[in-house]
Every structure is written in C-alpha cells, then in structure tokens.
Amino acid sequence: MSAEPITEPVMTQQDPIDLLIAIEEASQTPIRPEYVEGMAIVPPAPNDNHNDGTGELFFQFRVAGHRLVGMGNGYRAAHRDGTTMSLLIPDFYVRRRKPSELDESYLRAHRGWYPIDMIALVGEVTSTNHETDTGPKPRTYAAAGVPVYVLINRNAKTAHCYTDPILPGDDPTEAYYDSEIKVDLGDPLPLPAPYPILETAPFLEG
C-alpha cells in the first residue's frame, strides 16, 4: 500500500500594505504608518513649527509655478520582482505628472498608494524621528530613483538638497545620493533647475 503524499502549507510573505492596514485598524487614534527598510514606522504627530514650515515650502514651490507640488499622499516603491519595497508619505513632493488612469488603477490595486515613479522631487522635515529621515528614507528614495531629496534637519539645524541617486547593486539599503548641497537652517537652499531657491528661515524657532 503506497503512502499518501505529504503536503506542506505554502508560506507566503505578508504584503507590507496588509501590515500597515492592521496597524491603522488597531490604533485608537488616526495614524498613517509607513514602511521603510523592512520596518513599520509610525511618524510622531508633527508640531506647529513642522507644519507651518512645510506649508511655507509648499507655497514657495507654488509661487515658482510648480503646480504639481503636493502633500499628504502615500507612494509605493517596488523591488525588481514587483514586491513592495517601501511605503512612504513624504512631507511634500513635486510630481512629474498629474495622476493618469493607470496611476489611479495602481492606487486602487495597492489600496491607497501611488507609484513612486510619479515623484520628481521629495522633501522631508525632521521631527523626533530625525534618524529615519537622515538614514533609511534617503537610502529608500535613492533606491527608488527619486531625482531630488530635500531634507530640513531641525535637529542639526541644517538644510540639504541631495541629487544623483545611485543604487550600486541589488540591495536598496546600499543606495545613496552622490551629490549634496548643505546650508545652515535659515540660509537659502539652492535646488537644481527648474526648482526655486528655498527660504528655510520659517523653520527657525521664534
């Protein structure tokens, strides 16, 4: 009598989108977590200086004629095999294009996350989680090929413009930006054309 074949359950990796949805549903207060370098991150609630300063930067882009500047939407970066690499909600961004029908289909398929290739410039303003904005996030944006990363580091009182993203191999944690412009917070921050020179003084307390 032949033995019955033994079948083992196939283990499938959980999509980070499902993980973040579970975290949102478990929270008693409204949150929008992110997923960076294999970690689920719940950003701290921003204070007025963070929000006011970010709004000032948004306004500067609009005045300079960049109508596709935005805030609040989430973006998904994928590994080469199509699985989710990261889920990010930038403090502000400039898109390459208005959302197309394909982008909106992607948003529905990935339950609230647009494709990150829509972004031409991305910006982060540090809060108490400044280490995330100065390490994992720039590596992730560089791995995804976002051309320009603007960082307002309120902890170090500096402002940065990173360009020329490089991914030297298959590991996104080894990605980096090859060029950097750094100024003291309060000084104008030059950006590459066609973007404006950003006034960073709004982030100085008082």
Side-chain angles (χ1 to χ4, degrees), residues 97-110 113-118:
R97 60 184 183 270
K98 291 183 178 180
S100 65
E101 290 186 9
L102 187 60
D103 293 324
E104 296 295 351
S105 295
Y106 187 102
L107 179 75
R108 291 189 294 271
H110 296 285
W113 301 89
Y114 279 113
I116 203 166
D117 70 351
M118 293 179 66

Side-chain angles (χ1 to χ4, degrees), residues 30-48:
I31 59 172
R32 188 82 193 273
E34 299 173 286
Y35 182 80
V36 182
E37 293 190 350
M39 301 177 293
I41 298 171
V42 180
N47 59 23
D48 286 344

Side-chain angles (χ1 to χ4, degrees), residues 48-189:
D48 286 344
N49 182 255
H50 177 285
N51 288 345
D52 290 347
T54 303
E56 287 287 343
L57 297 182
F58 176 93
F59 180 72
Q60 290 179 48
F61 279 103
R62 289 298 294 264
V63 169
H66 294 278
R67 309 301 294 178
L68 296 181
V69 62
M71 303 166 66
N73 285 316
Y75 293 87
R76 176 183 180 269
H79 291 289
R80 292 179 180 176
D81 64 2
T83 59
T84 299
M85 178 174 73
S86 59
L87 301 164
L88 298 152
I89 307 171
D91 286 323
F92 63 94
Y93 50 81
V94 179
R95 287 173 166 171
R96 302 175 188 272
R97 60 184 183 270
K98 291 183 178 180
S100 65
E101 290 186 9
L102 187 60
D103 293 324
E104 296 295 351
S105 295
Y106 187 102
L107 179 75
R108 291 189 294 271
H110 296 285
R111 292 165 288 174
W113 301 89
Y114 279 113
I116 203 166
D117 70 351
M118 293 179 66
I119 293 180
L121 176 149
V122 67
E124 298 284 358
V125 178
T126 62
S127 295
T128 54
N129 63 335
H130 59 89
E131 292 180 356
T132 302
D133 293 329
T134 58
K137 280 193 175 182
R139 290 193 294 266
T140 298
Y141 287 128
V146 176
V148 183
Y149 176 50
V150 175
L151 172 66
I152 304 298
N153 190 333
R154 296 191 298 159
N155 182 67
K157 293 182 170 52
T158 55
H160 309 252
C161 175
Y162 298 95
T163 55
D164 302 320
I166 292 177
L167 178 59
D170 294 328
D171 185 355
T173 66
E174 295 181 354
Y176 62 94
Y177 284 96
D178 198 41
S179 302
E180 175 190 8
I181 296 174
K182 175 183 175 182
V183 300
D184 292 332
L185 202 59
D187 292 341
L189 177 64

